[in-house]
Every structure is written in structure tokens, then in C-alpha cells.
Amino acid sequence: MPSPYLALFAAPGSKGFSAAGFLGRMPLSMMGIGVVTMVSQLTGRYGLAGALSATMALAAAVAGPQVSRLVDQHGQRRVLRPATLIALVSAAGLLFAAHYRWPDWTLYVFSAGIGCVPSIGAMIRARWAALYGGTPQLHTAYSFESVIDEVCFIFGPIISIGLSTAWFPEAGPLLAACFLAVGVFWLTAQRATEPAPHPRAKHGDGGSALRSAGLQVLVATFVATGAIFGAVDVVTVAFADEQGHKGAASIVLALYAAGSCAAGLVFGLLRFKGAPEPRWLLGICAMAVSMIPLLLVGNLPFLAVALFLAGLAIAPTMITTMSLIEQHVPRAQLTEGMTWISTGLAVGVALGSSAAGWVIDAAGARAAYGVPAVSGAVAVMVGFLGYRRLKGPAPGRGGTVEQHSERQERHVA
């Protein structure tokens, strides 16, 4: 591992909370696809399986920011443990309901309960911000976390699907729940690196972080970006099926994540001067342009190369987005602000996957690659329209993380 990444872990406790965060994030990529695999194997009803997965995603989109808002006010330990217990009990209920063929409405209730799962990625980034806020190391830390996100999405679905098909149908979601329990309770046991809470009485009226005009632009843009991700996943599986190699879809999608992982590693080693807004807009444009070659795919090898190249734009854009959140959201609402980005992505994934499925049924997989292309164009349009709102920090905030970094670098020089 390059020395800037190794240097991150010189801070006491950083190795522990990073490892716990990795385990706690695995369910993000395992639970949804695990439930789809489980329900389709037990019942043969793919429509029900997809609906349950969408229910979990939308419930998480609603509950996630509220959980993170409580975390900002009361601390990670006091909020994450009860929220995780609700998600774990709901996951257990879903496994029993599916196994014993309980009525469909019970499956939907338990799936909605799983949506209380906290955004572990936001919790870990908040700990890095508490350690390295205002220093160049925070850029490297955010880059490292984006790489970890992609590693989870490379291996999580493979593990979940593999266990559910090779062992027993409930194995994938069960392991995801175990990862969540171990990760969260290990993380919350580490009190030394937990960010200090910001009680509402001491910090204004406690309104939502989404009141920030800059955050509104970021969230709206990432709804469209999430539609890219959701559509690419669904269309790639359908395209591989049309080519007679459905099993290869997981490998092709893993290369998509691998491209992002590689770009994130390199991006974390770079130091940038100037404001992050132009880099963010450039990243959004690159994501949109990278969808155009998918319209020309004719075989799986070409698709694999095109998706790997498309993945190169993802992690740098996400890393820059986290820097912008630091600029536009008060520190007392940092965790909530980061979670709103995940919410935007979740809503977009649901919209993109639904639209892609409709186009696949109507015109086939190759035509359905138009869905992520259109979604990318919408993301660019929203980014340009909201660009002015991103130019100034939130009232009461100082400069951005990157501005602090540049000042420190000049001082050291």
C-alpha cells in the first residue's frame, strides 16, 4: 500500500474503526441481492423478490438520514446500536417469513424494517473527519473509504449469491446480518475515536442538513447518478443472458467496480489546488460520457472493457463530493449530510433499475443501455444548473477541507 495510505493509520484507533467499518458495510452490497436470490429460490417469484429489494432500498432512503441526524445529535454509540437491533430483528423475521411461507405482507413489513440499517460509510468518514479535518490526510482518507466501498461491491454480491445457491437459500442474507452485527457493535465499542455529538439545544434549531442549497444540488445530481448504477446493473445481467452467458454478468459488473477502485487508489495519492467544484462537475461529465460506448456494445468482452473504463470516473467523483459536503454542511450535521448522498443514490438506483427493466421488456438489453446514457445527461444538466449554488460555503462555515489543506502545505513548504 502506498505510504500516504499507510500514514493514515498512524492515528490511534484508526485501524480498529476502519476494520469494523469494512465489516459493517458488507451488507450494503450483500443484503439486497441476497434477498432476491433467496426469495427467487424459495418461491420462484422474481417479481416479489425485486419488489422486496426495492422496499429495502426505499426504506433505507427514508430512514437513513433520520438515523444519521440522531447520530449527529446524540453520538454513534447511543443511536447505532438500537437502530441496528431493529434491522437485525427485521432481517431475522424476513428469513423466517420466507422460509415458512408467511403471507406476502409480512415480507414487505420486515423488508421495510431492514431499512433502519445505519449508513456505516458515513459513520467511518465522520471519524476520519474528526481525526484529520483541515489537513491533506482527509482527502487520502476519503479516497481510501471509496476504495473500500468498491471492494465491498466487488466481493459482496459474489459471496451472497454463492452462499445462497451453493449452501441454502437464506445463507447470503444471514451472513450479511452477521457482518452488520459484528461491524456495528465493534465500531461502537471504540469510544476514543467517536466524533463528539452536537446536541440540538447547543446548535440552533436542529433542522435538516438538506436545507443547505449546495447539498440539495449534490443530492439531486446523485439521484440521476444512482439511476446510472441501477440501470447498468439490470441491463448488464439482461445483456449477458441474451448472449447466453448470464453467469458472466457478475464478473463484468465486478470489473465496473474494479475500475472505480483503481481510480480511487490513484486519486487519493494526488494533491489538488483550487476549489473542488470544477473537478466535481468534470467528474459528473466524465460519468455521463462514459455511458455512450455502452450503446455500441456487441459482445461481453467489449462490454467488460467499456464498463471498466466507465468505472474510472466513479470514485474520484464520489471523493470530491465528500469534500463538497464538508464545505456546504455545518460540522454538527456532517454525518446526516453524507447520508443524504447515499439516499439520493438509493432513490436513483430504484428509478434506474425500474426504467431499465421496462425498456428491456419492450426493446431488449442493447436498447436499454440508453437508460444510463439519459440518466448521465440528466446528471450533467442538474450539475450545470446548480453549479452556482456550490460556489459558496454554508453560512457560518470557513473554507473547504481542501483550502485548509493548501494553506497547510504552503506553511510546511
Side-chain angles (χ1 to χ4, degrees):
M1 186 181 294
S3 58
Y5 289 105
L6 291 175
L8 290 176
F9 299 100
S14 56
K15 293 179 181 178
F17 74 69
S18 182
F22 174 72
L23 290 180
R25 262 180 291 187
M26 285 297 289
L28 181 65
S29 62
M30 293 178 63
M31 184 63 78
I33 193 66
V35 168
V36 170
T37 306
M38 174 188 72
V39 173
S40 62
Q41 283 188 275
L42 291 174
T43 68
R45 299 167 61 187
Y46 283 92
L48 175 62
L52 294 176
S53 179
T55 299
M56 284 190 294
L58 294 177
V62 173
Q66 309 311 317
V67 172
S68 293
R69 183 179 178 186
L70 292 173
V71 167
D72 284 327
Q73 294 173 5
H74 304 290
Q76 293 186 2
R77 182 185 179 92
R78 290 183 60 187
V79 177
L80 295 189
R81 290 190 171 187
T84 301
L85 284 175
I86 294 174
L88 292 174
V89 170
S90 299
L94 179 62
L95 297 184
F96 278 104
H99 183 80
Y100 291 105
R101 305 293 198 277
W102 292 0
D104 287 355
W105 67 266
T106 61
L107 302 178
Y108 285 102
V109 170
F110 289 128
S111 295
I114 295 175
C116 289
V117 61
S119 177
I120 302 301
M123 308 302 159
I124 300 303
R125 288 179 172 90
R127 293 197 180 216
W128 284 122
L131 283 177
Y132 293 125
T135 70
Q137 285 86 349
L138 187 58
H139 169 77
T140 306
Y142 283 165
S143 300
F144 177 77
E145 291 305 316
S146 291
V147 170
I148 294 299
D149 285 339
E150 299 303 337
V151 169
C152 291
F153 276 97
I154 291 172
F155 294 105
I158 296 174
I159 295 173
S160 186
I161 295 173
L163 286 176
S164 292
T165 54
W167 197 3
F168 57 91
E170 299 87 352
L174 179 61
L175 181 61
C178 292
F179 277 142
L180 177 64
V182 174
V184 169
F185 283 88
W186 184 13
L187 176 66
T188 52
Q190 302 175 47
R191 304 297 297 276
T193 56
E194 180 178 349
H198 302 272
R200 180 181 303 182
K202 296 182 180 180
H203 296 275
D205 60 5
S208 173
L210 198 58
R211 294 182 304 174
S212 164
L215 183 60
Q216 292 170 9
V217 174
L218 295 174
V219 172
T221 304
F222 273 83
V223 170
T225 303
I228 294 176
F229 300 151
V232 166
D233 286 352
V234 172
V235 181
T236 299
V237 173
F239 183 80
D241 192 18
E242 288 182 359
Q243 297 290 310
H245 302 282
K246 187 176 182 179
S250 61
I251 299 175
V252 174
L253 290 174
L255 286 173
Y256 189 32
S260 177
C261 183
L265 279 172
V266 175
F267 194 76
L269 301 176
L270 304 177
R271 291 291 179 262
F272 298 97
K273 294 183 178 180
E277 292 89 351
R279 290 194 296 279
W280 175 82
L281 190 59
L282 179 62
I284 295 296
C285 292
M287 291 180 67
V289 171
S290 69
M291 293 296 104
I292 296 176
L294 303 184
L295 298 170
L296 308 175
V297 295
N299 53 62
L300 285 175
F302 181 87
L303 176 63
V305 173
L307 282 179
F308 177 83
L309 294 176
L312 296 176
I314 297 174
T317 306
M318 293 298 298
I319 295 164
T320 308
T321 300
M322 294 304 163
S323 295
L324 285 172
I325 292 174
E326 279 257 316
Q327 177 178 341
H328 288 275
V329 175
R331 193 165 300 280
Q333 298 174 310
L334 181 59
T335 309
E336 181 192 350
M338 292 179 176
T339 306
W340 273 112
I341 295 298
S342 300
T343 295
L345 286 172
V347 172
V349 167
L351 295 174
S353 57
S354 299
W358 180 82
V359 176
I360 290 169
D361 291 339
R366 288 192 63 178
Y369 274 119
V371 175
V374 171
S375 300
V378 172
V380 170
M381 180 181 67
V382 174
F384 273 103
L385 290 176
Y387 187 71
R388 287 188 177 181
R389 294 188 177 190
L390 293 176
K391 295 296 289 183
R397 291 299 299 255
T400 68
V401 172
E402 295 191 8
Q403 289 170 338
H404 284 296
S405 300
E406 291 166 20
R407 286 197 293 269
Q408 178 165 331
E409 287 174 341
R410 290 195 292 269
H411 177 72
V412 171

